[in-house]
Amino acid sequence: MKHLLVVLVGLVALSCGNAKIEQSTVLNPTNPKGVTGSISSDEVDSEAARVVNTVKSTANTVTTPKEIELTMNFLTSDALQGREAGSNGIAEAASFIENSFSKNNVSPYYKTYKDTLSNFYDGVAFNVIGYIPGNDATLKNEFVVIGAHYDHIGLISAEGGDTIANGANDNASGTTAVIEFAKYFGKSKTNKRSILFALFSAEEKGLLGSKHLAEKLKKENLDVYVMLNFEMIGVPMVNKDHDLYLTGYERSNLAAISNSYAGKNMVGFLPKAKEYNLFRRSDNAPFHDEFNVPSQTYSSFDFTNFGEYHKVGDEVQLMDFEHMSAIINDAIPMIEGIVNSPLKEVKYN
């Protein structure tokens, strides 16, 4: 997110039970032949529960931690030089996103996937926009915009000899989520409303990519129902009873709607997000300004769980791919419910 204040990372310690079962063998999905050794009874119960939950969730798995890791590794590689807007590095990231859209049946919304920014004057920068038309004769005229910014801040002052701000959490994590959502809907075509998958450039320059697209779509009289933005979802929140928070939580009923379709308490309120007015600090804000429809950001950066914001330490090694996979898989029914509801049920209060 743009211009956030960062505090120290909080740490959580976990402990296991002490009762031992000597030379026991436990079925482990990653080692089907079993592992032999000294384990605790608590670990046996935990492993058994994990196996059951894995089997239960298989049918609902859209993406896996390994798939997420592969995408994140590319977007955060040193070869992309921190994905600064207008750079050769971000152009490589854009081509990667284009290829993913193309091979997963996601069409370009304009003549090409790349839409050049009209408000960026330090060179050439472009958003990458994918499009899946709705399958309902009436609802297809309404649009849901699902977005994230794929740029970061490029090369910065050296720390420990490293000058590349790779931007893993900010915001390769949100970009990866949007890529996975596009893959799902590109293959399933289950959306009654039309969907725009918008990967924004120049967020770090002042939300320029989202401002450009919001203004352009407004001039085209597009019927935007809601804008769902994803930002910094690479690590889980600490000691919260929900997985994500929603910026501008109190402004709409989007959190309640999201949770009803997710079937769990997935989205909640973070007081710090309101205190620092994060509603105005990400790519949802220009869509709010232009369309005055619910336009909000989902995030798991809680001001205690990540201390590498806008530093060279925002590296892929710090990301929790299990967490990201769970977020994306849980968000699919949430998004599907919103794009398929008969009425525009998400509203500002």
Side-chain angles (χ1 to χ4, degrees):
M1 293 181 180
K2 187 172 181 291
H3 304 317
L4 290 181
L5 301 177
V6 179
V7 297
L8 295 175
V9 179
L11 300 176
V12 179
L14 302 178
S15 60
C16 296
N18 296 318
K20 295 289 183 180
I21 301 175
E22 299 299 327
Q23 297 299 316
S24 296
T25 301
V26 179
L27 178 64
N28 184 331
T30 62
N31 181 9
K33 295 181 180 179
V35 290
T36 302
S38 179
I39 61 174
S40 72
S41 56
D42 286 349
E43 288 171 321
V44 173
D45 292 341
S46 176
E47 181 66 7
R50 192 177 76 81
V51 172
V52 170
N53 289 334
T54 299
V55 172
K56 280 182 177 180
S57 65
T58 298
N60 296 324
T61 298
V62 173
T63 191
T64 65
K66 186 61 180 177
E67 289 176 284
I68 291 167
E69 182 178 5
L70 290 172
T71 299
M72 289 287 289
N73 281 341
F74 179 83
L75 293 174
T76 63
S77 65
D78 284 353
L80 271 58
Q81 296 284 287
R83 306 188 312 278
E84 184 173 10
S87 69
N88 291 332
I90 198 172
E92 291 294 321
S95 295
F96 177 87
I97 297 165
E98 282 185 298
N99 290 337
S100 178
F101 283 173
S102 179
K103 71 181 182 182
N104 287 289
N105 304 312
V106 180
S107 302
Y109 182 64
Y110 295 110
K111 290 182 179 180
T112 67
Y113 292 105
K114 293 176 181 175
D115 180 36
T116 302
L117 271 57
S118 58
N119 55 356
F120 185 79
Y121 303 108
D122 296 328
V124 178
F126 34 77
N127 297 326
V128 184
I129 313 296
Y131 167 56
I132 300 178
N135 60 31
D136 181 270
T138 300
L139 293 179
K140 69 179 181 181
N141 297 313
E142 300 172 4
F143 283 72
V144 171
V145 179
I146 300 175
H149 74 91
Y150 75 109
D151 68 309
H152 198 231
I153 59 174
L155 303 178
I156 60 176
S157 299
E159 293 182 29
D162 187 3
T163 61
I164 302 174
N166 299 87
N169 201 21
D170 183 19
N171 187 34
S173 63
T175 299
T176 298
V178 174
I179 289 172
E180 292 300 323
F181 298 147
K183 285 181 184 178
Y184 172 77
F185 285 102
K187 292 174 182 177
S188 70
K189 305 293 186 181
T190 52
N191 53 298
K192 293 182 179 180
R193 288 183 175 85
S194 296
I195 306 177
L196 291 185
F197 298 96
L199 281 306
F200 303 112
S201 187
E203 187 266 3
E204 302 288 0
K205 306 291 186 181
L207 311 180
L208 298 183
S210 51
K211 286 179 180 177
H212 164 84
L213 184 62
E215 291 172 1
K216 189 171 183 176
L217 296 178
K218 182 65 173 180
K219 290 176 182 177
E220 296 168 2
N221 293 315
L222 200 75
D223 186 358
V224 174
Y225 165 32
V226 65
M227 193 277 181
L228 311 176
N229 193 51
F230 290 82
E231 174 105 35
M232 297 182 72
I233 62 166
V235 293
M237 293 194 291
V238 178
N239 296 330
K240 303 294 189 298
D241 64 355
H242 50 276
D243 304 315
L244 299 168
Y245 64 87
L246 191 67
T247 65
Y249 176 91
E250 70 286 353
R251 291 173 176 258
S252 77
N253 63 350
L254 180 56
I257 296 294
S258 297
N259 290 336
S260 69
Y261 287 124
K264 60 181 293 189
N265 189 31
M266 182 179 180
V267 183
F269 173 65
L270 185 74
K272 286 285 186 184
K274 183 175 182 180
E275 179 182 347
Y276 292 121
N277 195 19
L278 298 192
F279 178 79
R280 298 296 318 174
R281 300 193 181 194
S282 194
D283 290 307
N284 59 284
F287 286 84
H288 164 77
D289 294 342
E290 292 295 331
F291 292 95
N292 195 30
V293 298
S295 307
Q296 295 168 266
T297 294
Y298 299 90
S299 180
S300 64
F301 169 75
D302 69 5
F303 292 83
T304 71
N305 61 353
F306 193 73
E308 300 302 321
Y309 170 76
H310 279 195
K311 297 180 180 179
V312 296
D314 187 0
E315 299 272 12
V316 72
Q317 291 85 352
L318 297 183
M319 299 299 97
D320 186 331
F321 301 126
E322 294 281 348
H323 158 76
M324 290 181 63
S325 177
I327 290 296
I328 292 167
N329 288 323
D330 287 344
I332 290 293
M334 174 190 84
I335 295 171
E336 207 158 34
I338 290 171
V339 299
N340 291 334
S341 61
L343 302 175
K344 290 183 177 180
E345 57 188 353
V346 181
K347 300 178 184 297
Y348 275 140
N349 295 329

